[in-house]
Amino acid sequence: MYRTHTCGELRAENIGTEVKLSGWVQKTRELGGMTFVDIRDRYGITQLVFDDSKNAQLAENAANLGREYVINIVGDVIERESKNKNIPTGEIEILVKQLIVLNESETPPFTIEDETDGGDELRMKYRYLDLRRSPLQKSLKLRHDMGIAIRNYLHKQGFYEIETPYLIKSTPEGARDFVVPSRMNENQFYALPQSPQTFKQLLMVAGYDKYFQIVKCFRDEDLRADRQPEFTQIDCEMAFVERDDILNVFEGLTKYLFKEVKGFEFEGDFQKMPYDTAMELYGSDKPDIRFDMKFVELTKTVANSGFVVFDSAEYVAGITAKGCSEYTRKQLDALTDFVKKPQIGAQGLVYCKYNEDGTLKSSVDKFFDADALKQWAEVMNAEPGDLMLILAGNKKKTQSALCELRLEMGKQLGLMNRNTFAPLWVVDFPLLEWNEDSKRFFAMHHPFTSPKPDDLHYFDSEPGRMKANAYDLVINGVEIGGGSIRIHDKDIQSKMFDTLGFSKEEANDQFGFLMNAFKYGAPPHGGVAFGFDRLVSLFAGFDSIRDTIAFPKNNSGRDVMIDSPSFIAKEQLDELNIQLKAKQ
Amino acid sequence: MYRTHTCGELRAENIGTEVKLSGWVQKTRELGGMTFVDIRDRYGITQLVFDDSKNAQLAENAANLGREYVINIVGDVIERESKNKNIPTGEIEILVKQLIVLNESETPPFTIEDETDGGDELRMKYRYLDLRRSPLQKSLKLRHDMGIAIRNYLHKQGFYEIETPYLIKSTPEGARDFVVPSRMNENQFYALPQSPQTFKQLLMVAGYDKYFQIVKCFRDEDLRADRQPEFTQIDCEMAFVERDDILNVFEGLTKYLFKEVKGFEFEGDFQKMPYDTAMELYGSDKPDIRFDMKFVELTKTVANSGFVVFDSAEYVAGITAKGCSEYTRKQLDALTDFVKKPQIGAQGLVYCKYNEDGTLKSSVDKFFDADALKQWAEVMNAEPGDLMLILAGNKKKTQSALCELRLEMGKQLGLMNRNTFAPLWVVDFPLLEWNEDSKRFFAMHHPFTSPKPDDLHYFDSEPGRMKANAYDLVINGVEIGGGSIRIHDKDIQSKMFDTLGFSKEEANDQFGFLMNAFKYGAPPHGGVAFGFDRLVSLFAGFDSIRDTIAFPKNNSGRDVMIDSPSFIAKEQLDELNIQLKAKQ
């Protein structure tokens, strides 16, 4: 037996008992004829003490222990002289009688502390050491606890967790698939699932009613900061439901998780906002509504002033930053530089200060007199002490830039508290997006999303006008997940494929099994998928999903710890009947 | 809203209430001016009644409903005249006032009944219809319930479920990997995990202490009846443990599952049996101990009789079939044919009847007189009324054939009750297996398995003699899973790779990350992996794992429902920098 207790377990009431502990050496120090060793495991840290005067050899052995040595000790729990109130074991220490080194350790390449001295690359390479640090230990525990809570909640609601296959079929629609050559079926390939979408719909056809799965999904996309080639979804589907039945269940799940895992209770129902409203008010389909600062459109208000930037703009809109009228020239220049960054792409920034004394001062005083500016202030609900920030141009791009500016101001004004949570259902998304390059419609969500019933009559005349019976859950500006009511009528599904430019053959080739299934009594159904990595990240207060994942990949899709992907043997390629293409 | 109740929910106490139900039409029948429709969902079946005299049109619409139509009805719960005690809703029926057809259905290609008329291939192609059948619905519910129970048990024991990556590194050791070409890392490949083995060991190095995961694993092997290219493991690892610590936890899990999910309680501890004993007594490392019929070795007892088959045999052994002395010539011939089947491969079968009258009659009376046969009976513990069945030849092959014969007799004598469960830990496996073809040792379990500490001294002199600190859990002759204490010392691990014929470069290339990790304080650790599909199959009483899986592959690794694997576009191959090899 390696231990009677963990390193986080002993308290004052254990004083006087003999214990056995195992763990890692956090640090050693010598002080007045005593050697102190902190021993650590995932449960906590316990102080060991070796008395030089009682057993000089043992104390010397202890003094020679290196950081991260794995040790096993036997000793007596005694009261600590100088108690440490910061740790739960701080009232006691162990007077050690026996010490065994279970394994030595080389000096780690970085310190195993909450704040480490190791850089990103180094910590990724030695991920098994980085994972010893307390913030990561807490993160993986949080992830586990959330997984358990999600499963128990859905189980109680009558959901079954059903595993869907990982070796499926490649479909060109959507993101790029990872593929897997089949040895037994020459020249053919499996694909790894981007989501279990079609399988969960088949489970509804099969009568399973309420399905969920916490499941890995795969997308071979160029990676951005917060993307991983493999990621985890909480994937759900329900039959015989309308939109609000689904929203109720998953709003319930979200509230339950916040309460169980974070002790945070929401008041009332989550707000619902149509996509169009979200775009008008926040320029985003995932607005952060922890703070207000809504867009106000000024296109008409500012028209025909002779200021060509406004006069020629499709769209002019602004936000009011409360209490910022005293922003300096330097601060305003910095905001202008911010909106002009290539990834934001505004041409410039117009500001108007509503000074405390009631005067107004704008960057475009040449074109707008005090009365005009007063009118802006009225329209924008600005008060003395506020700062109005205005962008103009193409509507879509300007909305997007103003959205970034709003978030930047939210940050500067400290309105984005990590411990405040502002959830929002964004609903009524457009069904289709027109792609100018390929001159065709794409499904905004996916081709199985149902149009809103009232919009069905636009299918032939103006398909671009149709709204989808789709919804996203957004918390603090983070898209936690989304879903839709699906098409369950084979004729509507077939019409959808037509509208997306699929030939009958293509549709049949890729989704024939689903359309076939719809011939045999498909029930009305719909579902949702939440990004588990992002949800954990939101709960943990992390900026990135990476530290919610035990073994993440870097931005080139590499696992630098195991050095993968890697070259494989020619025999393996031969068996799969493939070969590498010669370099061009 | 599509329903107020499910189709399995209404009882006598609901009589008089108006309800709304949705589901599938199981069957319709007309009887004395009434039309009866059975409506089905995953919760049960409810009888609907349409009164011709009250609403002729409605009754006609009901009569026209086809099998598997999806309908929605409103009606009143009334008392049923002829109650059906076989179903929980049998006391009531619904007098329907309103009927909506939510979706029609073509006539299904087979009947959706407990016993269907559809063949295997057809049911696989229309898996979404097969999944509507009650035995499969029960199987997936059982699987879900077991998943929840496993997670809650391990959670309570302090385990974390931690997700390990699916895109990992190919290693030639072990079974064949599925590989995934990397687009971003030209000419390099990921592999799909055969198990999370190295990752769970790294999690122990990282201090996570108690890890588990219910996880998909992948092996590109030629498929046998009970194999799937993707399968699910309950994968676990613990640090600071010895063998029996692990066995206790997973014996506890097994008992908990049987009790929670099947209501079955085991008495006492599971038996532990060394591998060598299992081979001697049952000729198998996964003996079915629901019944006795142990092997008795007769090599010495039968020596030097002049019967060349015995005299030349390395090994002679038999089993005693209680009460089978009256087996007919025909039955004995059938047994002889059975053991001579190529997949069993015995040369012949010797029998000896111990008749009720005390006389003995064998198939080799020419060589053995009554006294000799009497001696057999004594050695084999046979009594009047029993039948002794004896095989001879090469030891390994004969043990294996006698094992099959024993199981066949167990079947014939009804000793393999599906509702009896006989668990067994098989322990002390050989560490290494010599492969004559490649003239090298292979790891019997995997290269990370620790030798038994007492055997370490054989490492240099006689590595083949070393026993592994490894164990399997066997229930009713089915290997549920296994595991081992791992090597945590980098020098022993390196010696192991040497013994397996890895060059330093190969070992470093494939497992360098693990050996590196072992330099930084690896704790003693070990673990276990249970086959989840098999465990569900055992609980469900199925012969095959296939019906515990929602969407299984056939024996060519194909999903015939979605028709996968499939050909992919040349553009996809180009992006991956691979091409198909020209046909030879």
Side-chain angles (χ1 to χ4, degrees):
Chain A
M1 195 187 49
Y2 282 101
R3 58 186 174 193
T4 55
H5 296 77
T6 69
C7 299
E9 198 174 349
L10 295 166
R11 300 287 183 275
E13 60 260 35
N14 301 105
I15 289 167
T17 54
E18 185 185 272
V19 297
K20 196 175 206 179
L21 300 183
S22 290
W24 286 264
V25 172
Q26 181 74 16
K27 61 180 174 198
T28 61
R29 59 200 179 285
E30 290 169 81
L31 195 74
M34 308 289 262
T35 301
F36 295 94
V37 175
D38 280 354
I39 182 174
R40 186 197 73 231
D41 62 16
R42 89 171 199 221
Y43 309 90
I45 286 183
T46 298
Q47 179 162 292
L48 309 178
V49 56
F50 297 79
D51 187 339
D52 209 359
S53 67
K54 286 193 180 151
N55 189 335
Q57 182 59 51
L58 193 65
E60 191 188 329
N61 293 348
N64 288 334
L65 292 171
R67 278 203 285 138
E68 303 304 318
Y69 273 44
V70 188
I71 60 170
N72 173 258
I73 62 97
V74 177
D76 296 313
V77 184
I78 59 174
E79 189 176 354
R80 198 148 148 180
E81 258 181 51
S82 54
K83 300 202 172 36
N84 180 347
K85 299 217 160 143
N86 298 321
I87 58 171
T89 62
E91 297 204 318
I92 58 94
E93 59 193 6
I94 315 291
L95 185 60
V96 177
K97 299 188 281 194
Q98 187 187 315
L99 165 69
I100 298 169
V101 174
L102 295 172
N103 221 337
E104 300 188 349
S105 174
E106 293 186 9
T107 305
F110 49 85
T111 55
I112 315 291
E113 305 279 355
D114 287 11
E115 299 290 332
T116 179
D117 56 357
D120 263 5
E121 270 296 299
L122 198 64
R123 288 190 291 121
M124 287 283 273
K125 184 166 158 60
Y126 294 91
R127 184 71 172 174
Y128 42 87
L129 296 179
D130 201 24
L131 284 170
R132 283 186 192 166
R133 296 192 310 114
S134 174
L136 284 171
Q137 299 239 338
K138 281 184 194 149
S139 168
L140 294 195
K141 177 179 191 316
L142 173 68
R143 188 176 178 115
H144 162 73
D145 287 339
M146 289 177 73
I148 289 285
I150 291 162
R151 286 188 162 99
N152 284 335
Y153 177 87
L154 293 174
H155 173 65
K156 278 190 193 127
Q157 297 273 330
F159 284 77
Y160 294 168
E161 184 160 26
I162 299 175
E163 295 169 56
T164 52
Y166 279 85
L167 296 172
I168 66 163
K169 187 171 175 162
S170 188
T171 55
E173 193 72 8
R176 202 185 283 106
D177 284 325
F178 282 104
V179 297
V180 182
S182 166
R183 181 180 54 86
M184 286 202 280
N185 300 272
E186 203 178 1
N187 294 348
Q188 298 187 33
F189 292 75
Y190 302 99
L192 300 178
Q194 295 183 28
S195 91
Q197 183 61 37
T198 49
F199 290 97
K200 68 178 175 176
Q201 293 193 241
L202 290 172
L203 286 171
M204 293 306 107
V205 175
Y208 286 79
D209 216 50
K210 291 177 179 176
Y211 143 92
F212 85 101
Q213 194 182 187
I214 301 185
V215 62
K216 276 280 175 79
C217 301
F218 304 86
R219 277 180 209 170
D220 184 12
E221 292 298 311
D222 296 322
L223 301 175
R224 294 186 307 211
D226 212 23
R227 284 247 185 111
Q228 286 282 320
E230 49 177 308
F231 55 98
T232 305
Q233 253 179 224
I234 309 164
D235 192 54
C236 307
E237 197 81 1
M238 300 171 78
F240 300 120
V241 285
E242 289 161 332
R243 187 195 73 180
D244 286 354
D245 298 319
I246 296 176
L247 300 196
N248 287 341
V249 170
F250 293 95
E251 185 166 320
L253 169 63
T254 308
K255 286 175 172 172
Y256 175 81
L257 278 181
F258 269 94
K259 187 158 176 223
E260 280 294 298
V261 181
K262 276 196 92 66
F264 184 94
E265 285 199 59
F266 288 103
E267 278 171 34
D269 294 341
F270 292 1
Q271 193 185 330
K272 290 190 187 82
M273 185 183 288
Y275 169 89
D276 288 345
T277 309
M279 293 308 293
E280 283 303 321
L281 298 184
Y282 302 99
S284 167
D285 60 358
K286 44 181 183 186
D288 187 337
I289 60 165
R290 275 177 296 185
F291 61 103
D292 207 23
M293 214 188 283
K294 294 193 185 82
F295 291 10
V296 175
E297 184 170 353
L298 298 166
T299 318
K300 283 182 189 154
T301 313
V302 301
N304 305 319
S305 67
F307 178 45
V308 66
V309 172
F310 283 179
D311 289 351
S312 66
E314 180 191 2
Y315 175 80
V316 183
I319 53 175
T320 299
K322 303 303 286 179
C324 294
S325 67
E326 309 233 322
Y327 258 42
T328 61
R329 181 83 232 164
K330 199 173 156 194
Q331 283 175 300
L332 291 165
D333 284 351
L335 287 181
T336 307
D337 290 345
F338 175 82
V339 298
K340 286 168 89 173
K341 280 195 298 184
Q343 62 270 41
I344 295 184
Q347 300 296 318
L349 171 68
V350 170
Y351 69 81
C352 176
K353 292 176 168 182
Y354 198 162
N355 298 313
E356 291 285 3
D357 64 7
T359 61
L360 289 138
K361 166 75 191 129
S362 84
S363 56
V364 285
D365 284 351
K366 243 191 280 183
F367 302 98
F368 296 93
D369 60 18
D371 283 350
L373 299 180
K374 198 91 186 177
Q375 201 197 339
W376 293 12
E378 265 165 40
V379 175
M380 294 180 72
N381 264 320
E383 296 172 323
D386 294 350
L387 172 69
M388 294 169 261
L389 298 167
I390 297 162
L391 297 180
N394 161 288
K395 181 166 181 179
K396 217 170 156 181
K397 285 184 186 162
T398 303
Q399 282 180 331
S400 154
L402 192 58
C403 169
E404 295 296 334
L405 179 62
R406 176 180 173 273
L407 294 174
E408 174 60 23
M409 291 311 297
K411 233 174 271 172
Q412 292 195 8
L413 298 174
L415 303 172
M416 295 163 82
N417 182 344
R418 277 185 201 276
N419 296 312
T420 302
F421 297 96
L424 172 72
W425 288 109
V426 178
V427 300
D428 300 349
F429 281 79
L431 184 68
L432 302 165
E433 270 180 317
W434 179 256
N435 182 291
E436 201 46 49
D437 293 338
S438 50
K439 301 275 177 213
R440 54 163 279 210
F441 282 112
F442 280 84
M444 182 133 167
H445 194 48
H446 55 55
F448 315 111
T449 302
S450 174
K452 302 236 9 163
D454 290 348
D455 289 354
L456 273 174
H457 64 100
Y458 292 124
F459 229 135
D460 296 312
S461 53
E462 292 176 87
R465 268 186 81 162
M466 288 190 288
K467 295 292 181 199
N469 207 343
Y471 33 82
D472 276 358
L473 177 62
V474 176
I475 302 180
N476 295 1
V478 176
E479 184 199 322
I480 296 304
S484 63
I485 295 294
R486 325 299 184 187
I487 298 167
H488 69 280
D489 180 303
K490 66 180 188 310
D491 296 329
I492 295 180
Q493 187 64 67
S494 161
K495 205 157 184 168
M496 186 69 178
F497 285 129
D498 287 350
T499 307
L500 295 174
F502 283 61
S503 72
K504 290 279 176 236
E505 291 67 37
E506 286 166 341
N508 190 55
D509 205 41
Q510 288 172 38
F511 300 111
F513 61 95
L514 190 67
M515 291 200 290
N516 261 332
F518 281 4
K519 291 181 191 159
Y520 295 99
H525 62 286
V528 83
F530 281 1
F532 189 40
D533 309 299
R534 279 202 204 155
L535 194 61
V536 179
S537 175
L538 179 80
F539 272 58
F542 290 152
D543 289 320
S544 153
I545 62 171
R546 198 181 276 178
D547 282 342
T548 70
I549 298 171
F551 300 103
K553 310 266 190 292
N554 75 6
N555 283 349
S556 318
R558 292 197 72 80
D559 181 330
V560 295
M561 177 187 70
I562 63 170
D563 194 22
S564 162
S566 61
F567 299 102
I568 61 174
K570 185 172 174 304
E571 295 73 36
Q572 276 178 288
L573 296 174
D574 287 347
E575 274 196 319
L576 296 169
N577 205 49
I578 57 175
Q579 60 192 28
L580 305 177
K581 285 177 73 166
K583 291 250 179 200
Q584 304 298 314
Chain B
M1 194 187 50
Y2 282 102
R3 57 187 176 195
T4 55
H5 296 78
T6 69
C7 299
E9 198 174 349
L10 295 166
R11 300 286 183 277
E13 60 261 34
N14 302 105
I15 288 168
T17 54
E18 186 185 272
V19 297
K20 196 175 207 179
L21 300 183
S22 290
W24 285 263
V25 171
Q26 180 75 19
K27 61 179 173 197
T28 61
R29 59 201 181 284
E30 291 168 81
L31 196 74
M34 308 289 262
T35 301
F36 295 94
V37 175
D38 281 353
I39 183 174
R40 186 198 71 230
D41 63 15
R42 93 171 195 217
Y43 308 90
I45 286 182
T46 298
Q47 179 163 291
L48 309 178
V49 56
F50 298 78
D51 187 338
D52 210 358
S53 67
K54 286 195 179 149
N55 188 334
Q57 182 60 50
L58 194 65
E60 191 187 329
N61 292 350
N64 287 334
L65 292 171
R67 277 203 288 139
E68 302 303 319
Y69 274 44
V70 189
I71 61 169
N72 174 258
I73 62 99
V74 177
D76 296 314
V77 184
I78 59 174
E79 191 175 353
R80 197 148 150 181
E81 259 182 50
S82 55
K83 301 201 173 34
N84 179 346
K85 299 217 160 144
N86 298 321
I87 58 171
T89 62
E91 299 203 318
I92 58 95
E93 59 193 8
I94 315 291
L95 184 61
V96 177
K97 299 189 280 195
Q98 187 188 314
L99 166 68
I100 297 170
V101 174
L102 295 173
N103 221 336
E104 300 188 349
S105 174
E106 293 186 10
T107 305
F110 49 85
T111 55
I112 314 291
E113 305 278 357
D114 286 13
E115 297 292 331
T116 180
D117 56 357
D120 263 5
E121 271 294 302
L122 198 64
R123 288 190 292 121
M124 287 283 272
K125 184 168 159 58
Y126 294 91
R127 184 71 172 174
Y128 42 86
L129 296 179
D130 201 25
L131 284 171
R132 284 187 191 163
R133 296 192 310 112
S134 173
L136 283 172
Q137 299 239 339
K138 281 184 193 146
S139 167
L140 294 194
K141 176 178 190 317
L142 174 68
R143 189 176 177 115
H144 162 74
D145 287 339
M146 290 176 73
I148 289 284
I150 291 162
R151 286 189 162 99
N152 284 336
Y153 178 87
L154 293 174
H155 173 65
K156 278 191 193 123
Q157 298 275 328
F159 283 77
Y160 294 168
E161 184 160 26
I162 299 175
E163 295 169 56
T164 52
Y166 279 86
L167 296 172
I168 66 163
K169 187 171 176 164
S170 188
T171 54
E173 191 72 8
R176 204 186 280 105
D177 284 324
F178 283 105
V179 297
V180 181
S182 166
R183 180 179 55 87
M184 287 202 280
N185 299 273
E186 202 177 6
N187 295 347
Q188 299 187 34
F189 291 75
Y190 301 99
L192 299 179
Q194 295 183 30
S195 91
Q197 184 61 35
T198 49
F199 290 97
K200 68 178 177 177
Q201 293 192 243
L202 289 173
L203 285 172
M204 293 307 107
V205 175
Y208 286 78
D209 215 49
K210 291 178 179 176
Y211 143 92
F212 85 100
Q213 194 182 187
I214 300 185
V215 62
K216 276 281 175 77
C217 301
F218 303 86
R219 277 180 210 170
D220 185 12
E221 291 298 311
D222 297 319
L223 301 174
R224 293 185 308 209
D226 212 23
R227 284 250 184 110
Q228 287 281 319
E230 48 177 309
F231 55 97
T232 305
Q233 250 178 227
I234 309 164
D235 192 55
C236 307
E237 197 81 2
M238 300 171 77
F240 300 119
V241 287
E242 288 162 333
R243 187 194 75 181
D244 286 354
D245 297 317
I246 296 177
L247 300 196
N248 287 341
V249 170
F250 294 95
E251 185 166 319
L253 170 64
T254 308
K255 287 176 172 172
Y256 175 81
L257 278 181
F258 269 94
K259 188 162 176 218
E260 281 294 298
V261 181
K262 277 197 92 67
F264 184 95
E265 286 198 58
F266 288 103
E267 278 170 34
D269 293 340
F270 292 0
Q271 193 184 332
K272 291 190 187 81
M273 185 182 288
Y275 169 89
D276 287 345
T277 308
M279 293 307 295
E280 283 302 322
L281 298 183
Y282 302 99
S284 168
D285 60 358
K286 44 181 184 187
D288 187 337
I289 60 166
R290 275 178 295 184
F291 61 103
D292 208 23
M293 214 187 283
K294 294 194 186 81
F295 291 10
V296 176
E297 185 170 352
L298 299 167
T299 319
K300 282 182 188 154
T301 312
V302 301
N304 306 317
S305 68
F307 177 45
V308 68
V309 172
F310 284 178
D311 288 351
S312 66
E314 180 191 1
Y315 176 80
V316 183
I319 53 174
T320 300
K322 302 304 286 179
C324 294
S325 67
E326 310 234 321
Y327 258 42
T328 62
R329 180 83 231 166
K330 200 173 158 195
Q331 284 174 300
L332 291 165
D333 283 350
L335 286 181
T336 306
D337 290 346
F338 174 84
V339 298
K340 287 169 87 173
K341 282 196 296 186
Q343 60 270 42
I344 296 184
Q347 300 295 320
L349 172 69
V350 170
Y351 68 81
C352 176
K353 293 176 169 183
Y354 198 160
N355 296 313
E356 291 285 4
D357 64 5
T359 61
L360 288 138
K361 165 77 191 133
S362 84
S363 56
V364 286
D365 282 352
K366 243 191 279 182
F367 303 97
F368 296 92
D369 60 18
D371 282 349
L373 299 180
K374 199 91 186 176
Q375 200 197 343
W376 293 11
E378 263 165 42
V379 175
M380 294 181 71
N381 264 319
E383 297 172 322
D386 294 349
L387 172 67
M388 293 169 264
L389 298 168
I390 297 161
L391 298 180
N394 161 288
K395 182 167 181 178
K396 217 169 157 182
K397 285 184 185 160
T398 303
Q399 282 181 330
S400 155
L402 192 58
C403 170
E404 295 298 333
L405 179 62
R406 175 180 174 271
L407 293 175
E408 174 62 21
M409 291 310 298
K411 236 175 270 171
Q412 293 195 8
L413 298 174
L415 303 172
M416 295 162 82
N417 182 344
R418 277 186 199 277
N419 297 312
T420 302
F421 298 96
L424 172 71
W425 288 109
V426 178
V427 299
D428 300 349
F429 281 80
L431 183 69
L432 302 165
E433 271 179 317
W434 180 256
N435 182 291
E436 201 47 48
D437 293 338
S438 50
K439 301 276 177 212
R440 55 163 277 209
F441 283 111
F442 280 84
M444 182 135 170
H445 195 47
H446 55 55
F448 315 111
T449 302
S450 175
K452 303 240 359 166
D454 290 349
D455 289 354
L456 273 174
H457 64 98
Y458 291 125
F459 229 135
D460 296 311
S461 54
E462 292 177 85
R465 268 187 82 160
M466 286 190 289
K467 295 293 182 198
N469 206 344
Y471 33 82
D472 275 358
L473 177 62
V474 176
I475 302 180
N476 294 2
V478 176
E479 184 198 322
I480 296 304
S484 62
I485 295 294
R486 326 299 183 187
I487 299 167
H488 69 281
D489 179 303
K490 66 180 189 313
D491 296 329
I492 296 180
Q493 187 64 66
S494 160
K495 206 158 185 169
M496 186 69 177
F497 285 129
D498 286 350
T499 307
L500 295 173
F502 283 60
S503 72
K504 290 281 174 236
E505 290 68 37
E506 287 167 339
N508 190 57
D509 205 42
Q510 290 172 37
F511 301 110
F513 60 96
L514 190 69
M515 291 200 288
N516 261 331
F518 281 5
K519 291 180 191 160
Y520 294 99
H525 62 287
V528 84
F530 280 2
F532 190 38
D533 309 299
R534 280 204 202 153
L535 193 60
V536 179
S537 175
L538 179 80
F539 271 58
F542 291 151
D543 289 321
S544 152
I545 61 170
R546 200 180 274 179
D547 283 342
T548 70
I549 298 171
F551 300 103
K553 309 264 188 296
N554 74 6
N555 283 349
S556 317
R558 292 199 71 80
D559 181 330
V560 295
M561 178 186 70
I562 63 170
D563 194 23
S564 162
S566 60
F567 299 102
I568 62 174
K570 185 172 175 302
E571 294 73 33
Q572 277 177 289
L573 296 174
D574 286 347
E575 274 197 319
L576 297 169
N577 205 50
I578 58 175
Q579 60 192 24
L580 305 177
K581 286 177 73 165
K583 291 249 178 200
Q584 303 300 312

